[in-house]
Amino acid sequence: MEKYTDIIPSDQPRGDAPPCISLNVSDFNIITSQTSEFSIIYAGEVSSRLAEILPNLATWKQSLRSLQGIVPSLYEWKRFDSNDFVNCISPSKTGMYQVWIRQESDRPHYTLFYDQESDRWRQGDWYGLRFLALQHSGFECVARYDRASWRLAIPISQRWPEIYERALVLASGQLPTYQNPWLLYENVAMEVISLLTDKLNVKCLEMPASA
């Protein structure tokens, strides 16, 4: 690859992942042609393709693993109140819960989402469960988009479920940067924003993302 392209590594913000590798090539056919020694396949804009096939939030919730055998009386409980976890007697309504084993006070045994309608406990990534809890509590989730720079800003406290955030990261190959109280994602096309915000019930305002 070094023979035909300039390979440009870019470190991830905060060093939380392997670097993003970019290729600068004068003729794209050099590395994609079937007659080349590489025959790299151009897969298209993967950020847009992932955004298209992802389900809406309700369908994603139903796809989460269901945990059986939770007996509320055996545990102590804390419920997420859209800001923090607060003590509660037992799970009684839809939301995100910490499950504590008595006399083990250093950390919760589980963090789960309880769906009262189906009476099921769901497991998923922490940010995804928090996002579900916010949505089910009627909290308005928002985002800001700067069309000029293709930069999307999402409040840190409303970080999206991991699989949806993946579509944003694929747009640039870079993890988000932190600018309190926002997460900033680069090079995200408006098409991707429209698809994902519709599926996640997020209100997106167009303005400079750093405002």
Side-chain angles (χ1 to χ4, degrees), residues 66-119:
S66 178
L67 186 64
Q68 307 294 327
I70 296 292
V71 181
S73 61
L74 297 180
Y75 304 100
E76 294 180 349
W77 297 88
K78 291 184 179 182
R79 184 178 187 275
F80 183 68
D81 67 353
S82 299
N83 182 54
D84 200 357
F85 286 93
V86 295
N87 292 324
C88 65
I89 297 175
S90 65
S92 58
K93 56 183 177 179
T94 296
M96 183 184 183
Y97 291 86
Q98 286 182 341
V99 185
W100 294 77
I101 295 179
R102 292 182 175 88
Q103 300 173 353
E104 290 185 11
S105 59
D106 57 335
R107 60 181 180 179
H109 188 59
Y110 293 117
T111 300
L112 304 170
F113 183 84
Y114 177 60
D115 185 2
Q116 184 183 26
E117 183 178 357
S118 63
D119 192 25

Side-chain angles (χ1 to χ4, degrees), residues 50-69:
L50 179 56
E52 288 174 357
I53 64 175
L54 284 172
N56 61 31
L57 189 65
T59 303
W60 175 75
K61 181 184 72 173
Q62 296 303 319
S63 73
L64 295 178
R65 180 183 175 187
S66 178
L67 186 64
Q68 307 294 327

